[in-house]
Amino acid sequence: MRRHRGFDAPGPFLGLVLGTFVLVALAVAGFSTGAAPAGVAFLAGALYTALSAASYGYTMGWGRARVWAELLGPGGGESVLELGRRSLLVRAGSASGAAVGDLRDLPFADGSFEVVISSLALRDLRDAEGRARAVAEAFRVVRPGGRVLLAEVQGSEADEEVLRGLGGADVRRRNLGWRFWYGGPWFATWLVEARKPS
């Protein structure tokens, strides 16, 4: 799906890149003034920050798109709803479109989609009750036998509990791996998936 390619949240990435340059400059200053221990410390910090930037950049540019492609499969005939941060993206076969909607009150009938996905959209819902309502709405609009796939950096344990409480089948939570790291393993993305019983 095209939404998963491109830097839709470039701020943290640019911060890491800028931080790398600042740390390199401080390392050079440390070495040039005879403060070698400080230079080594700043150089190590620059390397760490550069690796975090590379991880973040890869995830935003390619990694997450590849993970979603594997999760969704060819999906030519599937109707998919993506819960976006500011919009709802719908794909039905080869057709797609977008609409604005509240994740806590989706403008679709029960059982409208074969798959509902979210990639870091739920994090914008600050209160636990609102997030639980959004997860419940995602489950509501999935057809019997359909899937809900929620990818989040934080809060996925609560999403898993909500789906279990709604009667979801085959509910599980797993780490999506290095291709979905936002800077390193300390910002790993977790997937919660569930199937609506037929």
Side-chain angles (χ1 to χ4, degrees):
M1 298 186 67
R2 59 184 172 81
R3 176 176 160 72
H4 298 295
R5 185 161 176 112
F7 286 71
D8 59 359
F13 173 73
L14 295 176
L16 289 168
V17 171
L18 178 61
T20 300
F21 284 114
V22 169
L23 288 167
V24 167
L26 290 170
V28 169
F31 287 123
S32 64
T33 59
V40 169
F42 285 127
L43 191 59
L47 178 61
Y48 172 87
T49 307
L51 290 173
S52 292
S55 168
Y56 196 107
Y58 176 79
T59 294
M60 295 290 284
W62 300 277
R64 63 183 178 164
R66 292 178 178 165
V67 170
W68 279 115
E70 291 170 8
L71 289 170
L72 294 172
E78 288 187 331
S79 59
V80 178
L81 172 66
E82 179 181 0
L83 307 179
R85 295 177 67 189
R86 295 177 188 85
S87 64
L88 305 169
L89 303 180
V90 180
R91 182 183 74 187
S94 59
S96 63
V100 175
D102 185 341
L103 302 185
R104 297 161 296 184
D105 185 19
L106 296 175
F108 304 106
D110 295 359
S112 295
F113 301 94
E114 293 177 67
V115 182
V116 175
I117 68 172
S118 171
S119 185
L120 308 185
L122 299 177
R123 66 181 176 170
D124 290 340
L125 301 171
R126 303 295 181 197
D127 63 296
E129 181 182 344
R131 182 163 173 157
R133 280 175 50 202
V135 173
E137 279 290 278
F139 193 73
R140 177 185 68 79
V141 300
V142 169
R143 295 174 187 164
R147 299 182 298 155
V148 175
L149 304 170
L150 308 174
E152 295 291 332
V153 173
Q154 297 176 332
S156 57
E157 299 94 338
D159 302 337
E160 179 183 11
E161 289 306 310
V162 170
L163 288 168
R164 287 188 191 284
L166 293 169
D170 305 324
V171 180
R172 67 178 180 148
R173 177 178 173 268
R174 61 189 170 101
N175 190 316
L176 287 175
W178 66 271
R179 294 178 299 172
F180 227 126
W181 287 351
Y182 285 92
W186 43 90
F187 283 117
T189 303
W190 292 80
L191 180 75
V192 174
E193 55 187 315
R195 182 177 54 81
K196 192 174 216 177
S198 300

